[in-house]
Amino acid sequence: MKPAIVGSGKMTKARLRNGNLLTEIWKHRMTYTLLIPGLIWLILFAYLPTGGLSLAFKHYKANLGIWGSPWAGLENFMYVFRDPAFASSVWRTLYVNIIKLVITFPFPILLALLLNELRMRKMKKLFQTILTFPQFLSWIIVSGIVINVLSYDGLVNSALQLFGLPTINFLGSEPMFLPMLILTDIWKSTGWGAIIFLAAISGIDQDQYESAQIDGASRMQQIFKITLPNILPTVTVMFILNVGGLMSAGFDQIFNLANAATQNVSQVLDVYIYRVTFQSSTDFSFSTAVSLFRSIVNMVLLLTADRVAKWMGGDGLFR
């Protein structure tokens, strides 16, 4: 009789939870109604296209379509892992994006702290507008600006020639390619990234600052004792999300800034997928297998970063 009682008790609790959930949904039905367009978009453009991942396990035939093409099992993945260019592109992707993450991630936080310290609202809005504007420029425009400034007949080399100094091959130098990626990424994305941290700072209880001022804390002490600890959960979440995109970040930037002279240092995984798909004998099954591998690695990195954040005492993405 006891197992039956325990089982019925669990069923009753489950029904109560479901009832409470439906009650809460109905109570906030207007809010959930606003989510419907976003959910429809997510289903149509994020979940339904995942059916195309089946190409990674097939020999794709255009006349048969995705569903009619014959199955190949793991054959495409065997070809992928045998390709030396694939392995080098994976390691180069991790190398480039890890260095970019380590160097560029603190800049939006520092900019948000600096803007928060400005007491003149008009100047604060002006600087925020100016620094956010580059985010709305495509990498095609940014690469055009970089090429015009750093090419042999560009602004920098013209100035060097004017002073009788030797010109520098900025765009065709492999050692300069990664620093160029980092600098352009900082210039383009720092202002936009700072908005998230400014929003987190604006949610801090102002009574904490008033109490610190009464106790005689300096502005720097308030930053380290109040501001940074309060925005640490936001910093953690943003860092985890950036780690989860290490394998797929930077294609637009690298594709538009790279050239034949920097091909050896610009062959990241996304560029490899592009060249396999569009610049050689087209094999959609092969490129889909590479894309699926990239997504799995991104998921593993995301979950690992979340676990590490929790292990260090921080907040993760998943409760």
Side-chain angles (χ1 to χ4, degrees), residues 25 28 40 113-114 152 158 180 203 227 229-231 257 279 286 288 312 318:
I25 292 175
H28 302 285
I40 293 174
L113 294 174
L114 291 174
Y152 270 121
S158 297
M180 183 171 60
T227 307
N230 276 281
I231 68 171
L257 290 175
Q279 293 185 348
F286 185 88
T288 304
M312 297 179 66
F318 309 103

Side-chain angles (χ1 to χ4, degrees), residues 130-141:
I130 293 173
L131 295 171
T132 305
F133 175 74
Q135 176 66 27
F136 300 98
L137 300 176
S138 69
W139 278 111
I140 297 175
I141 297 175

Side-chain angles (χ1 to χ4, degrees), residues 6 13 41-42 63 66-68 102 116 151 192 206 310:
V6 173
K13 290 181 180 179
W41 181 93
L42 191 66
N63 60 329
I66 295 176
W67 307 115
V102 171
N116 185 59
S151 62
W192 181 258
Q206 295 301 309
K310 290 180 179 178

Side-chain angles (χ1 to χ4, degrees), residues 16-288:
L16 287 173
R17 284 197 300 268
N18 293 333
N20 292 333
L21 177 61
L22 293 175
T23 302
E24 287 296 317
I25 292 175
W26 180 253
K27 181 180 178 180
H28 302 285
R29 58 187 179 277
M30 299 307 296
T31 303
Y32 284 103
T33 302
L34 295 174
L35 294 175
I36 292 176
L39 290 174
I40 293 174
W41 181 93
L42 191 66
I43 293 171
L44 289 178
F45 297 100
Y47 284 98
L48 289 181
T50 56
L53 292 177
S54 61
L55 277 180
F57 306 95
K58 293 186 172 185
H59 289 301
Y60 178 66
K61 305 292 183 182
N63 60 329
L64 298 177
I66 295 176
W67 307 115
S69 298
W71 285 96
L74 299 177
E75 185 176 338
N76 291 312
F77 292 93
M78 294 173 62
Y79 288 134
V80 167
F81 294 123
R82 289 174 184 171
D83 188 0
F86 167 77
S88 63
S89 66
V90 169
W91 292 116
R92 190 171 296 109
T93 301
L94 291 173
Y95 173 74
V96 170
N97 286 331
I98 288 174
I99 291 178
K100 284 176 61 180
L101 177 62
V102 171
I103 296 176
T104 62
F105 184 77
F107 277 86
I109 304 172
L110 294 174
L111 179 59
L113 294 174
L114 291 174
L115 290 175
N116 185 59
E117 294 303 312
L118 286 176
R119 291 295 171 260
M120 295 180 289
R121 290 187 178 181
K122 291 184 178 179
M123 292 298 295
K124 181 178 179 179
K125 291 181 179 179
L126 177 63
F127 281 121
Q128 189 172 349
T129 302
I130 293 173
L131 295 171
T132 305
F133 175 74
Q135 176 66 27
F136 300 98
L137 300 176
S138 69
W139 278 111
I140 297 175
I141 297 175
V142 174
S143 64
I145 296 172
V146 172
I147 291 170
N148 287 327
V149 172
L150 299 180
S151 62
Y152 270 121
D153 56 349
L155 181 64
V156 175
N157 279 319
S158 297
L160 292 175
Q161 289 178 348
L162 184 64
F163 290 101
L165 298 175
T167 58
I168 302 173
N169 184 14
F170 292 102
L171 301 177
S173 174
E174 292 185 355
M176 290 186 179
F177 185 72
L178 182 56
M180 183 171 60
L181 293 180
I182 294 171
L183 291 175
T184 52
D185 192 32
I186 291 172
W187 176 76
K188 189 175 187 297
S189 62
T190 297
W192 181 258
I195 294 176
I196 298 173
F197 299 109
L198 282 171
I201 292 172
S202 65
I204 299 175
D205 187 2
Q206 295 301 309
D207 292 341
Q208 297 182 43
Y209 291 104
E210 294 175 2
S211 300
Q213 291 173 1
I214 293 173
D215 293 337
S218 64
R219 299 298 303 177
M220 192 63 66
Q221 289 174 327
Q222 293 178 41
I223 290 174
F224 283 99
K225 299 296 183 179
I226 299 175
T227 307
L228 285 176
N230 276 281
I231 68 171
L232 186 58
T234 304
V235 173
T236 303
V237 170
M238 295 305 299
F239 183 78
I240 292 173
L241 292 175
N242 277 278
V243 171
L246 284 177
M247 290 293 289
S248 56
F251 169 74
D252 292 340
Q253 180 190 22
I254 294 174
F255 181 76
N256 286 286
L257 290 175
N259 52 61
T262 59
Q263 184 174 354
N264 292 331
V265 293
S266 63
Q267 179 82 356
V268 295
L269 188 59
D270 281 346
V271 175
Y272 171 80
I273 295 173
Y274 173 82
R275 289 176 177 168
V276 167
T277 307
F278 299 107
Q279 293 185 348
S280 60
S281 57
T282 304
D283 189 346
F284 291 110
S285 297
F286 185 88
S287 56
T288 304

